Amino acid sequence: MTSSAEHVHDLVGIGFGPSNLALAIALREEGGDLDAVFLERQPAFGWHRGMLIEGTTMQVSFLKDLATMRNPSSSFSFLNYLKERDRLVDFINHKTMFPSRVEFHDYLEWAACRFTDQVEYGTEVLAVRPVVEGGTVVACEVVARRDGETVVRRARNLVIATGLEPVVPEGIALGERVWHSHELLRRLPGLRSPRRLIVLGAGQSGAEVVDHLHQTYPETEVCAVFAKYGYTPADDSSFANRIFDPAAVDHFHYAPEDVKRMLLDYHGSTNYSVVDLDLIDELYRRVYQEKVQGKERLRILNVSRVLDITEHSGGVSATVEYLPTGERTVLEADALVCSTGYRSRDPLAMLDGLAEHCVRRPDGGPDVARDYRISTGPGVRCGVYLQGATERTHGLSSTLLSNTAVRAGEIVQSLVRARDLVTV
């Protein structure tokens, strides 16, 4: 692979998680001779490693893998992965559509290993600058750091897939004993016989963390703190799941703004602050059984919030307020885990002089066309595409795996069309 700044790639991808991995696959299968390189900050492929909790399963069907929805005969399908791992028959006998999270991560690594010649791991992108010729932005220059040195890649197109960033409640600072859930498995080995652990959050990750801590530490009190009265079941019913269909992206993108807002409000229960019903029932069963046994180790502090946290050498002190009465309780704990979700990173933050050419929506976000290309001024020929930060323009599947394969194919088709227009 040519690495000099003078070489102009057809595409530079920022980030190499599932979205740009699916793009790399689509490029190999449909992109002809398009030349792409991907820059990834992590030293090796990894996807939510800190939450690969034993026993947790995917929330989407294995058929919504990196390729099947776009190309059912792809050699990068989950079924082909099973065949190569000699587990296809075993998986079929398992009678499930939802593999474990550990297995799906192994599938992603299996696919990523076939692109080592196109991915530069351990490379942190610092900035993206426009390359101007004759008053027109014809390419972009991606400036990055690897092993303490600056590297530069030029490309006619850019695909930004930098994923999500953890959200921490206002006033809470992460530290040695205050973590976000994405660090869970990395942090837990540092605990020694904890007396009490606190988990903030009422979504799937919060419930999974509570479940894992309660099982892992049989003598530890686990306190779940959230403002709801109880965990809310996820709506994964067949009709509601249509919001993740590829056709739903068309419907959403071209709908009036008030309809977009309505759809996001109506179907937020498919994804946000919700929990699988089986896990809710299991946690309730444990709470009830502990009451029967007279040893209440799993405590659900509902309709409550943490007012302040003080971290000290032995753990944390958290002041918890019960909202209906205002009663406050100070809990001493060995650690506090914020399972408080994620948000999309600002895709324009790294674009330097290129950002001023991007058209913005009234809400300040980038205006993104149906093919996931950011709308730009007339003096821009370089394409900037987004994967993952398009919920307001493309719907709820933006940050999920459901539409990843199809979206990658649509971006490749757009790249091919743009190339053909230039060469005509």
Side-chain angles (χ1 to χ4, degrees), residues 252-253 255-262 361-363 392-393:
F252 188 93
H253 183 76
E257 288 301 315
D258 60 328
V259 175
K260 286 186 172 74
R261 288 191 295 271
M262 179 188 72
R361 291 159 43 85
D363 61 8
R392 295 291 175 181
T393 55

Side-chain angles (χ1 to χ4, degrees), residues 1 6 27 37 48 55 98 103 105 166 227 249 301 343 420 423:
M1 181 178 63
E6 288 73 24
L27 283 167
V37 62
H48 296 301
F98 307 101
E103 182 176 31
H105 190 276
V249 178
L301 306 181
R343 60 172 166 245
D420 292 345
T423 57

Side-chain angles (χ1 to χ4, degrees), residues 7 14 35 83-84 93 162 178 205 245 254 279 327 341 380:
H7 176 76
I14 300 179
D35 166 27
K83 181 67 175 177
E84 289 200 7
N93 290 338
T162 50
V178 180
S205 64
D245 289 354
Y254 296 112
L279 181 53
E327 180 183 358
V380 179

Side-chain angles (χ1 to χ4, degrees), residues 286-300:
R286 289 186 214 168
V287 169
Y288 183 78
Q289 287 302 318
E290 288 181 356
K291 284 187 176 182
V292 171
Q293 296 163 3
K295 183 181 179 181
E296 297 181 38
R297 193 169 60 82
L298 177 54
R299 297 177 59 193
I300 306 297

Side-chain angles (χ1 to χ4, degrees), residues 53-175:
I53 297 172
E54 184 67 31
T56 56
T57 59
M58 299 295 293
Q59 271 75 57
V60 297
S61 164
F62 71 86
L63 293 172
K64 293 183 175 181
D65 57 23
L66 296 168
T68 297
M69 294 285 285
R70 174 185 56 80
N71 176 16
S73 63
S74 172
S75 66
F76 289 90
S77 70
F78 184 78
L79 290 178
N80 193 50
Y81 153 80
L82 290 173
K83 181 67 175 177
E84 289 200 7
R85 289 285 199 259
D86 196 28
R87 290 201 308 270
L88 179 57
V89 173
D90 297 328
F91 185 85
I92 292 171
N93 290 338
H94 195 29
K95 297 181 181 179
T96 182
M97 298 291 286
F98 307 101
S100 72
R101 201 171 293 164
V102 170
E103 182 176 31
F104 200 80
H105 190 276
D106 187 60
Y107 157 67
L108 295 175
E109 286 186 298
W110 166 84
C113 282
R114 297 162 73 176
F115 294 95
T116 54
D117 61 330
Q118 287 182 256
V119 186
E120 299 181 10
Y121 289 106
T123 304
E124 181 182 8
V125 173
L126 305 176
V128 179
R129 301 190 292 246
V131 177
V132 181
E133 293 180 4
T136 299
V137 179
V138 297
C140 59
E141 195 170 70
V142 182
V143 182
R145 181 188 297 116
R146 185 176 68 245
D147 297 330
E149 297 184 357
T150 300
V151 295
V152 178
R153 299 287 176 265
R154 283 193 175 189
R156 298 178 185 89
N157 298 280
L158 183 73
V159 179
I160 302 174
T162 50
L164 304 172
E165 61 182 0
V167 172
V168 177
E170 186 176 353
I172 294 180
L174 300 179

